[in-house]
C-alpha cells in the first residue's frame, strides 16, 4: 500500500502556494526549482490539482498556479485524492461467492463484513485528512516562513 | 494506494480457519479449493501468516494450518500487515530540505507537519483494524455458517 511519491510534491507545492499574496501565481518551473523536482512530471501533477478544482492556472508573463479558493477551504484529503483518486486500498472481489465454499446468493446481498470493516478503516483515514486544511498547515509554520517562501519562490 | 489482492484471500482464509473445531487444521489445497484460488500463491500468503505468528502449520495426513491463538486475539490489522507490512502509504522524502526553498537544518529537526498529518491518518486506519478481531467477524456470521464451513472445508 503506497501513495505515489508525487503526493509529497503536491502537498508541499499547495502549502507553498498558500503562502503567496492573494492573486500572485508561481509557475511549474518556479515550483520545480523551489523543491528541486523534475519539471515535466511536476507539471502533470499540478494539472491534476487544477482539474480537481484546487488550483487555478493562468498564462502570460506573471502566469502560473495559485489556489482556486481560500486555504481554509482546501483539505489535505482533496490534495491527496487529486493525484491518487478516492478508491479504498482494499478491493473486494467477492471471493466469498466462488469455489467450494461459495455462499448462496441470498447471503451475498449485503456487503461482506470483511470488506465493510476495511471500508471503515479507509473512512477513518479520509476523515483525518478531511479535517486538516491548508490554513491549519500554515498556522503550524514558523512566523517568518511565508515571507521567506514568497521571496524564494518568485 | 492499493493493497494486494491477497489481502482479501488471507482475511477470508483466517475467518474460515477460525470456524474450525479447536485443533483441526485445513491444508493450503483445501483452502485454495474452498475459495477457488491459485494454490502456489495462496500457499505463500499462508506462510506469511505463519511467519507473523497468526497461524500454526503442521505436517502429516491431517496437517495444515490452524489459528495460532484464540480468534479474539487475532486482529484484522495483524492479518493485513502480515502480507503487506506496517509501513505508512505516505513516504516523506524530506523535499523540504532540497532545492531553492531548502529549509535550514534547525527547522528540519522535528517531523514535517505534512508528514505528521499523513501519519495521523495512517494511525487512524490502523486503529480501526486493530479494534476488530476474528471473533468479532465470526459473531457477525449467520448462525449456520460455522457448521457449513467445517463441512465444505474438510
Amino acid at each position: 500500500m503506497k501513495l505515489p511519491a508525487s503526493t509529497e510534491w503536491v502537498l508541499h507545492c499547495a502549502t507553498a502556494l498558500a503562502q503567496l499574496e492573494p492573486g500572485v501565481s508561481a509557475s511549474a518551473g518556479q515550483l520545480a526549482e523551489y523543491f528541486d523536482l523534475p519539471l515535466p512530471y511536476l507539471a502533470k501533477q499540478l494539472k491534476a490539482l487544477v482539474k480537481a478544482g484546487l488550483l487555478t492556472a493562468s498564462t502570460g508573463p506573471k502566469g502560473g498556479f495559485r489556489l482556486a479558493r481560500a486555504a481554509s477551504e482546501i483539505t489535505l484529503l482533496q490534495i491527496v485524492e487529486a493525484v491518487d483518486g478516492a478508491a479504498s486500498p482494499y478491493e473486494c472481489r467477492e471471493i466469498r461467492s466462488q469455489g467450494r465454499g461459495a455462499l448462496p446468493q441470498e447471503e451475498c446481498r449485503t456487503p461482506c463484513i470483511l470488506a465493510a470493516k476495511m471500508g471503515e478503516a479507509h473512512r477513518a483515514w479520509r476523515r483525518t485528512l478531511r479535517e486538516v486544511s491548508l490554513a491549519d498547515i500554515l498556522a503550524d509554520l514558523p512566523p517568518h516562513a511565508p515571507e521567506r517562501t514568497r521571496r524564494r519562490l518568485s
Side-chain angles (χ1 to χ4, degrees), chain A residues 101-125:
Chain A
L103 298 181
Q105 270 199 329
E106 61 266 26
E107 285 184 40
C108 297
R109 282 194 193 120
T110 51
C112 169
I113 178 71
L114 292 165
K117 293 298 179 186
M118 294 302 290
E120 268 180 39
H122 187 53
R123 281 194 293 282
W125 185 86

PDB file of all heavy atoms in Angstrom, chain A residues 101-125:
ATOM      1  N   GLY A 101     -16.626 -23.262  -1.285  1.00  0.00           N
ATOM      2  CA  GLY A 101     -17.282 -22.624  -0.132  1.00  0.00           C
ATOM      3  C   GLY A 101     -18.247 -21.523  -0.525  1.00  0.00           C
ATOM      4  O   GLY A 101     -18.728 -20.789   0.345  1.00  0.00           O
ATOM      5  N   ALA A 102     -18.525 -21.390  -1.836  1.00  0.00           N
ATOM      6  CA  ALA A 102     -19.374 -20.287  -2.324  1.00  0.00           C
ATOM      7  C   ALA A 102     -20.666 -20.153  -1.511  1.00  0.00           C
ATOM      8  O   ALA A 102     -21.412 -21.117  -1.351  1.00  0.00           O
ATOM      9  CB  ALA A 102     -19.706 -20.497  -3.790  1.00  0.00           C
ATOM     10  N   LEU A 103     -20.920 -18.953  -1.029  1.00  0.00           N
ATOM     11  CA  LEU A 103     -22.142 -18.711  -0.266  1.00  0.00           C
ATOM     12  C   LEU A 103     -23.319 -18.585  -1.224  1.00  0.00           C
ATOM     13  O   LEU A 103     -23.154 -18.127  -2.359  1.00  0.00           O
ATOM     14  CB  LEU A 103     -21.999 -17.425   0.549  1.00  0.00           C
ATOM     15  CG  LEU A 103     -20.887 -17.405   1.600  1.00  0.00           C
ATOM     16  CD1 LEU A 103     -20.882 -16.070   2.337  1.00  0.00           C
ATOM     17  CD2 LEU A 103     -21.066 -18.547   2.599  1.00  0.00           C
ATOM     18  N   PRO A 104     -24.509 -18.971  -0.785  1.00  0.00           N
ATOM     19  CA  PRO A 104     -25.688 -18.767  -1.639  1.00  0.00           C
ATOM     20  C   PRO A 104     -25.910 -17.272  -1.850  1.00  0.00           C
ATOM     21  O   PRO A 104     -25.592 -16.454  -0.991  1.00  0.00           O
ATOM     22  CB  PRO A 104     -26.825 -19.397  -0.829  1.00  0.00           C
ATOM     23  CG  PRO A 104     -26.324 -19.474   0.580  1.00  0.00           C
ATOM     24  CD  PRO A 104     -24.834 -19.595   0.501  1.00  0.00           C
ATOM     25  N   GLN A 105     -26.488 -16.959  -3.031  1.00  0.00           N
ATOM     26  CA  GLN A 105     -26.718 -15.560  -3.408  1.00  0.00           C
ATOM     27  C   GLN A 105     -27.377 -14.729  -2.320  1.00  0.00           C
ATOM     28  O   GLN A 105     -27.031 -13.567  -2.115  1.00  0.00           O
ATOM     29  CB  GLN A 105     -27.589 -15.509  -4.673  1.00  0.00           C
ATOM     30  CG  GLN A 105     -26.788 -15.520  -5.957  1.00  0.00           C
ATOM     31  CD  GLN A 105     -27.623 -15.004  -7.115  1.00  0.00           C
ATOM     32  OE1 GLN A 105     -28.829 -15.169  -7.147  1.00  0.00           O
ATOM     33  NE2 GLN A 105     -26.974 -14.360  -8.080  1.00  0.00           N
ATOM     34  N   GLU A 106     -28.357 -15.334  -1.624  1.00  0.00           N
ATOM     35  CA  GLU A 106     -29.111 -14.534  -0.645  1.00  0.00           C
ATOM     36  C   GLU A 106     -28.241 -14.095   0.529  1.00  0.00           C
ATOM     37  O   GLU A 106     -28.595 -13.154   1.232  1.00  0.00           O
ATOM     38  CB  GLU A 106     -30.364 -15.290  -0.150  1.00  0.00           C
ATOM     39  CG  GLU A 106     -30.087 -16.601   0.554  1.00  0.00           C
ATOM     40  CD  GLU A 106     -30.166 -17.791  -0.409  1.00  0.00           C
ATOM     41  OE1 GLU A 106     -29.944 -17.597  -1.627  1.00  0.00           O
ATOM     42  OE2 GLU A 106     -30.438 -18.912   0.060  1.00  0.00           O
ATOM     43  N   GLU A 107     -27.077 -14.754   0.717  1.00  0.00           N
ATOM     44  CA  GLU A 107     -26.180 -14.319   1.794  1.00  0.00           C
ATOM     45  C   GLU A 107     -25.161 -13.287   1.295  1.00  0.00           C
ATOM     46  O   GLU A 107     -24.331 -12.815   2.070  1.00  0.00           O
ATOM     47  CB  GLU A 107     -25.455 -15.527   2.406  1.00  0.00           C
ATOM     48  CG  GLU A 107     -26.353 -16.351   3.311  1.00  0.00           C
ATOM     49  CD  GLU A 107     -25.609 -17.499   3.996  1.00  0.00           C
ATOM     50  OE1 GLU A 107     -24.461 -17.318   4.431  1.00  0.00           O
ATOM     51  OE2 GLU A 107     -26.191 -18.603   4.076  1.00  0.00           O
ATOM     52  N   CYS A 108     -25.210 -12.993  -0.006  1.00  0.00           N
ATOM     53  CA  CYS A 108     -24.254 -12.043  -0.581  1.00  0.00           C
ATOM     54  C   CYS A 108     -24.920 -10.728  -0.971  1.00  0.00           C
ATOM     55  O   CYS A 108     -24.331  -9.917  -1.688  1.00  0.00           O
ATOM     56  CB  CYS A 108     -23.546 -12.652  -1.788  1.00  0.00           C
ATOM     57  SG  CYS A 108     -22.557 -14.099  -1.370  1.00  0.00           S
ATOM     58  N   ARG A 109     -26.135 -10.514  -0.500  1.00  0.00           N
ATOM     59  CA  ARG A 109     -26.837  -9.269  -0.868  1.00  0.00           C
ATOM     60  C   ARG A 109     -26.307  -8.086  -0.078  1.00  0.00           C
ATOM     61  O   ARG A 109     -26.345  -6.961  -0.539  1.00  0.00           O
ATOM     62  CB  ARG A 109     -28.350  -9.451  -0.674  1.00  0.00           C
ATOM     63  CG  ARG A 109     -28.903 -10.251  -1.849  1.00  0.00           C
ATOM     64  CD  ARG A 109     -30.407 -10.213  -1.953  1.00  0.00           C
ATOM     65  NE  ARG A 109     -30.807 -11.256  -2.897  1.00  0.00           N
ATOM     66  CZ  ARG A 109     -31.604 -12.284  -2.621  1.00  0.00           C
ATOM     67  NH1 ARG A 109     -32.145 -12.413  -1.424  1.00  0.00           N
ATOM     68  NH2 ARG A 109     -31.880 -13.183  -3.539  1.00  0.00           N
ATOM     69  N   THR A 110     -25.852  -8.332   1.138  1.00  0.00           N
ATOM     70  CA  THR A 110     -25.237  -7.255   1.911  1.00  0.00           C
ATOM     71  C   THR A 110     -23.711  -7.361   1.744  1.00  0.00           C
ATOM     72  O   THR A 110     -23.196  -8.439   1.467  1.00  0.00           O
ATOM     73  CB  THR A 110     -25.602  -7.366   3.407  1.00  0.00           C
ATOM     74  OG1 THR A 110     -25.312  -8.693   3.831  1.00  0.00           O
ATOM     75  CG2 THR A 110     -27.077  -7.076   3.627  1.00  0.00           C
ATOM     76  N   PRO A 111     -23.007  -6.231   1.900  1.00  0.00           N
ATOM     77  CA  PRO A 111     -21.551  -6.287   1.716  1.00  0.00           C
ATOM     78  C   PRO A 111     -20.925  -7.268   2.697  1.00  0.00           C
ATOM     79  O   PRO A 111     -21.407  -7.451   3.810  1.00  0.00           O
ATOM     80  CB  PRO A 111     -21.107  -4.846   2.040  1.00  0.00           C
ATOM     81  CG  PRO A 111     -22.320  -3.995   1.857  1.00  0.00           C
ATOM     82  CD  PRO A 111     -23.486  -4.875   2.214  1.00  0.00           C
ATOM     83  N   CYS A 112     -19.869  -7.892   2.253  1.00  0.00           N
ATOM     84  CA  CYS A 112     -19.086  -8.801   3.090  1.00  0.00           C
ATOM     85  C   CYS A 112     -18.612  -8.032   4.328  1.00  0.00           C
ATOM     86  O   CYS A 112     -18.146  -6.900   4.225  1.00  0.00           O
ATOM     87  CB  CYS A 112     -17.896  -9.293   2.268  1.00  0.00           C
ATOM     88  SG  CYS A 112     -16.661 -10.162   3.227  1.00  0.00           S
ATOM     89  N   ILE A 113     -18.718  -8.672   5.494  1.00  0.00           N
ATOM     90  CA  ILE A 113     -18.335  -7.992   6.744  1.00  0.00           C
ATOM     91  C   ILE A 113     -16.853  -7.592   6.728  1.00  0.00           C
ATOM     92  O   ILE A 113     -16.473  -6.549   7.275  1.00  0.00           O
ATOM     93  CB  ILE A 113     -18.673  -8.884   7.976  1.00  0.00           C
ATOM     94  CG1 ILE A 113     -18.239  -8.234   9.284  1.00  0.00           C
ATOM     95  CG2 ILE A 113     -18.058 -10.265   7.858  1.00  0.00           C
ATOM     96  CD1 ILE A 113     -19.062  -7.040   9.689  1.00  0.00           C
ATOM     97  N   LEU A 114     -16.011  -8.401   6.070  1.00  0.00           N
ATOM     98  CA  LEU A 114     -14.583  -8.051   5.997  1.00  0.00           C
ATOM     99  C   LEU A 114     -14.382  -6.794   5.151  1.00  0.00           C
ATOM    100  O   LEU A 114     -13.638  -5.883   5.523  1.00  0.00           O
ATOM    101  CB  LEU A 114     -13.779  -9.233   5.434  1.00  0.00           C
ATOM    102  CG  LEU A 114     -13.706 -10.454   6.369  1.00  0.00           C
ATOM    103  CD1 LEU A 114     -13.236 -11.689   5.618  1.00  0.00           C
ATOM    104  CD2 LEU A 114     -12.794 -10.171   7.559  1.00  0.00           C
ATOM    105  N   ALA A 115     -15.080  -6.732   4.007  1.00  0.00           N
ATOM    106  CA  ALA A 115     -14.989  -5.531   3.166  1.00  0.00           C
ATOM    107  C   ALA A 115     -15.542  -4.321   3.912  1.00  0.00           C
ATOM    108  O   ALA A 115     -15.003  -3.209   3.805  1.00  0.00           O
ATOM    109  CB  ALA A 115     -15.755  -5.748   1.861  1.00  0.00           C
ATOM    110  N   ALA A 116     -16.607  -4.540   4.689  1.00  0.00           N
ATOM    111  CA  ALA A 116     -17.196  -3.426   5.443  1.00  0.00           C
ATOM    112  C   ALA A 116     -16.197  -2.869   6.456  1.00  0.00           C
ATOM    113  O   ALA A 116     -16.063  -1.650   6.604  1.00  0.00           O
ATOM    114  CB  ALA A 116     -18.473  -3.897   6.141  1.00  0.00           C
ATOM    115  N   LYS A 117     -15.486  -3.757   7.143  1.00  0.00           N
ATOM    116  CA  LYS A 117     -14.507  -3.311   8.150  1.00  0.00           C
ATOM    117  C   LYS A 117     -13.326  -2.605   7.485  1.00  0.00           C
ATOM    118  O   LYS A 117     -12.810  -1.602   7.999  1.00  0.00           O
ATOM    119  CB  LYS A 117     -14.019  -4.496   8.981  1.00  0.00           C
ATOM    120  CG  LYS A 117     -15.093  -5.119   9.863  1.00  0.00           C
ATOM    121  CD  LYS A 117     -15.607  -4.125  10.897  1.00  0.00           C
ATOM    122  CE  LYS A 117     -16.699  -4.716  11.789  1.00  0.00           C
ATOM    123  NZ  LYS A 117     -17.292  -3.693  12.685  1.00  0.00           N
ATOM    124  N   MET A 118     -12.890  -3.119   6.337  1.00  0.00           N
ATOM    125  CA  MET A 118     -11.801  -2.459   5.612  1.00  0.00           C
ATOM    126  C   MET A 118     -12.255  -1.075   5.139  1.00  0.00           C
ATOM    127  O   MET A 118     -11.483  -0.120   5.127  1.00  0.00           O
ATOM    128  CB  MET A 118     -11.356  -3.320   4.425  1.00  0.00           C
ATOM    129  CG  MET A 118     -10.706  -4.652   4.806  1.00  0.00           C
ATOM    130  SD  MET A 118      -9.246  -4.526   5.873  1.00  0.00           S
ATOM    131  CE  MET A 118      -8.055  -3.800   4.743  1.00  0.00           C
ATOM    132  N   GLY A 119     -13.525  -0.983   4.757  1.00  0.00           N
ATOM    133  CA  GLY A 119     -14.080   0.304   4.346  1.00  0.00           C
ATOM    134  C   GLY A 119     -14.135   1.298   5.506  1.00  0.00           C
ATOM    135  O   GLY A 119     -13.876   2.491   5.327  1.00  0.00           O
ATOM    136  N   GLU A 120     -14.452   0.803   6.689  1.00  0.00           N
ATOM    137  CA  GLU A 120     -14.474   1.671   7.875  1.00  0.00           C
ATOM    138  C   GLU A 120     -13.090   2.269   8.128  1.00  0.00           C
ATOM    139  O   GLU A 120     -12.958   3.443   8.477  1.00  0.00           O
ATOM    140  CB  GLU A 120     -14.870   0.857   9.119  1.00  0.00           C
ATOM    141  CG  GLU A 120     -16.339   0.846   9.413  1.00  0.00           C
ATOM    142  CD  GLU A 120     -16.667   0.015  10.662  1.00  0.00           C
ATOM    143  OE1 GLU A 120     -15.918   0.049  11.656  1.00  0.00           O
ATOM    144  OE2 GLU A 120     -17.696  -0.690  10.612  1.00  0.00           O
ATOM    145  N   ALA A 121     -12.064   1.434   7.952  1.00  0.00           N
ATOM    146  CA  ALA A 121     -10.697   1.918   8.170  1.00  0.00           C
ATOM    147  C   ALA A 121     -10.356   3.006   7.156  1.00  0.00           C
ATOM    148  O   ALA A 121      -9.744   4.023   7.491  1.00  0.00           O
ATOM    149  CB  ALA A 121      -9.709   0.754   8.070  1.00  0.00           C
ATOM    150  N   HIS A 122     -10.769   2.799   5.909  1.00  0.00           N
ATOM    151  CA  HIS A 122     -10.493   3.809   4.880  1.00  0.00           C
ATOM    152  C   HIS A 122     -11.239   5.106   5.191  1.00  0.00           C
ATOM    153  O   HIS A 122     -10.696   6.198   5.003  1.00  0.00           O
ATOM    154  CB  HIS A 122     -10.901   3.282   3.496  1.00  0.00           C
ATOM    155  CG  HIS A 122     -10.497   4.178   2.375  1.00  0.00           C
ATOM    156  ND1 HIS A 122      -9.211   4.620   2.195  1.00  0.00           N
ATOM    157  CD2 HIS A 122     -11.213   4.745   1.374  1.00  0.00           C
ATOM    158  CE1 HIS A 122      -9.157   5.422   1.132  1.00  0.00           C
ATOM    159  NE2 HIS A 122     -10.354   5.510   0.626  1.00  0.00           N
ATOM    160  N   ARG A 123     -12.456   4.976   5.702  1.00  0.00           N
ATOM    161  CA  ARG A 123     -13.204   6.185   6.060  1.00  0.00           C
ATOM    162  C   ARG A 123     -12.520   6.929   7.211  1.00  0.00           C
ATOM    163  O   ARG A 123     -12.514   8.160   7.230  1.00  0.00           O
ATOM    164  CB  ARG A 123     -14.655   5.830   6.424  1.00  0.00           C
ATOM    165  CG  ARG A 123     -15.529   5.601   5.186  1.00  0.00           C
ATOM    166  CD  ARG A 123     -17.017   5.578   5.525  1.00  0.00           C
ATOM    167  NE  ARG A 123     -17.378   4.428   6.338  1.00  0.00           N
ATOM    168  CZ  ARG A 123     -17.541   3.196   5.855  1.00  0.00           C
ATOM    169  NH1 ARG A 123     -17.368   2.952   4.574  1.00  0.00           N
ATOM    170  NH2 ARG A 123     -17.877   2.210   6.653  1.00  0.00           N
ATOM    171  N   ALA A 124     -11.938   6.188   8.151  1.00  0.00           N
ATOM    172  CA  ALA A 124     -11.223   6.844   9.257  1.00  0.00           C
ATOM    173  C   ALA A 124     -10.003   7.600   8.724  1.00  0.00           C
ATOM    174  O   ALA A 124      -9.691   8.711   9.172  1.00  0.00           O
ATOM    175  CB  ALA A 124     -10.797   5.800  10.292  1.00  0.00           C
ATOM    176  N   TRP A 125      -9.315   7.012   7.762  1.00  0.00           N
ATOM    177  CA  TRP A 125      -8.144   7.655   7.111  1.00  0.00           C
ATOM    178  C   TRP A 125      -8.596   8.936   6.414  1.00  0.00           C
ATOM    179  O   TRP A 125      -8.004  10.004   6.602  1.00  0.00           O
ATOM    180  CB  TRP A 125      -7.563   6.654   6.099  1.00  0.00           C
ATOM    181  CG  TRP A 125      -6.296   7.055   5.408  1.00  0.00           C
ATOM    182  CD1 TRP A 125      -5.017   6.868   5.870  1.00  0.00           C
ATOM    183  CD2 TRP A 125      -6.179   7.674   4.116  1.00  0.00           C
ATOM    184  NE1 TRP A 125      -4.123   7.338   4.938  1.00  0.00           N
ATOM    185  CE2 TRP A 125      -4.805   7.835   3.857  1.00  0.00           C
ATOM    186  CE3 TRP A 125      -7.093   8.098   3.149  1.00  0.00           C
ATOM    187  CZ2 TRP A 125      -4.315   8.404   2.676  1.00  0.00           C
ATOM    188  CZ3 TRP A 125      -6.612   8.669   1.971  1.00  0.00           C
ATOM    189  CH2 TRP A 125      -5.243   8.811   1.748  1.00  0.00           C
TER     190      TRP A 125
END
